[in-house]
Amino acid sequence: MRTLCASTLIGEFFVIGFAGLVAMKDPDLAMSTVWTVSGIAMFLCVVLCGLVTRPGGVQFGWALQIGLIASGFFVPTMFFMGAVFATLWWASVHYGRKIDEAKARFAAQASTEAGAGAS
């Protein structure tokens, strides 16, 4: 799960950076505000890469997805990009857990077979 979720978060990191560049073109938004918000969100993406398997990590990731969608109020394209990344986040968590379960079953089966072969 960690690899899939981290890949999604790194993709979000770049999308948030590009959205910041787009948001800079809006004369109603101060450049310092745009880069403060974008920088915090980008930092959270990187930090979450390491925290995703810890308690609350996935939920914090969902909060980031909601924030990404909400950024569409300032950069309308982000409604679409946020929805795409929320879908990717769901897929990363869902299929990542299935992969982790399959790996655990395979490891248990391999250790059982190794134990039976040693007898």
Side-chain angles (χ1 to χ4, degrees):
M1 178 173 82
R2 183 180 183 146
T3 302
L4 289 174
C5 290
S7 299
T8 300
L9 290 165
I10 294 302
E12 282 186 68
F13 173 89
F14 288 107
V15 167
I16 292 167
F18 291 132
L21 291 172
V22 172
M24 274 186 9
K25 304 288 184 191
D26 188 341
D28 296 333
L29 300 174
M31 191 179 344
S32 60
T33 302
V34 168
W35 287 115
T36 299
V37 172
S38 295
I40 290 170
M42 292 168 76
F43 175 76
L44 290 175
C45 286
V46 173
V47 169
L48 265 174
C49 286
L51 298 178
V52 74
T53 56
R54 298 189 187 246
V58 172
Q59 290 78 10
F60 196 60
W62 278 114
L64 182 65
Q65 304 314 312
I66 291 168
L68 195 62
I69 293 169
S71 70
F73 289 108
F74 302 100
V75 179
T77 307
M78 292 307 290
F79 283 125
F80 172 72
M81 293 304 297
V84 167
F85 275 100
T87 303
L88 286 172
W89 182 253
W90 173 84
S92 297
V93 171
H94 179 74
Y95 292 111
R97 285 182 176 154
K98 286 185 181 250
I99 290 169
D100 289 348
E101 290 168 4
K103 282 181 180 179
R105 281 194 310 270
F106 180 74
Q109 181 183 5
S111 67
T112 301
E113 289 174 1
S119 298

